[in-house]
Amino acid sequence: MENTETKKKSFNELINDDTPVLVDFYADWCAPCRMMPPILHELKSAMGDKLNIIKIDTERNPDVAIKYQVRGIPNLILFHKGQLLWQQAGVVRMPQLQQIIEEKLAQ
């Protein structure tokens, strides 16, 4: 999912970037969270370089989860140039997810 360039940047650098970022907050013990990777791979294939996707383990990064009020997981947050454009808890299917992202970026 992440390319090497993405790994070198901090979370704040990534979400303030010109490229929109979809953040998937998850935990290893969360069964619904395991449904997201194939959906996110399909989304990345469809959107390519127009979207970066990163995964944040809420167990290892509780401060980030608290900052963005992640109460349920999986929890998806779309950022663009530091702005939180959209947030939703639960599994979102690929066609719906792509549509939401494209609509939010067009606003």
Side-chain angles (χ1 to χ4, degrees):
M1 202 69 60
E2 298 177 1
N3 59 30
T4 51
E5 180 184 316
T6 305
K7 287 181 181 163
K8 292 176 190 165
K9 293 184 176 182
S10 73
F11 181 76
N12 283 334
E13 286 173 324
L14 282 169
I15 65 170
N16 283 291
D17 202 39
D18 287 341
T19 304
V21 177
L22 181 67
V23 182
D24 173 25
F25 287 89
Y26 75 99
D28 290 335
W29 51 262
C30 164
C33 295
R34 292 188 206 116
M35 298 170 69
M36 289 310 302
I39 294 168
L40 297 174
H41 280 288
E42 191 180 344
L43 179 67
K44 183 64 178 167
S45 295
M47 296 197 70
D49 293 339
K50 292 187 284 185
L51 180 72
N52 284 327
I53 300 172
I54 60 173
K55 296 179 69 61
I56 301 281
D57 184 335
T58 57
E59 302 279 294
R60 292 195 191 114
N61 303 283
D63 50 334
V64 179
I66 290 166
K67 180 178 180 180
Y68 293 103
Q69 300 175 356
V70 173
R71 293 188 180 96
I73 50 174
N75 196 306
L76 301 169
I77 304 181
L78 179 65
F79 292 96
H80 190 217
K81 297 181 181 174
Q83 296 292 314
L84 191 158
L85 300 182
W86 172 77
Q87 180 170 3
Q88 182 172 320
V91 175
V92 182
R93 298 280 170 217
M94 198 317 241
Q96 181 188 4
L97 186 55
Q98 184 175 1
Q99 180 182 355
I100 290 166
I101 291 168
E102 289 175 348
E103 285 174 7
K104 294 297 176 187
L105 295 176
Q107 292 174 356

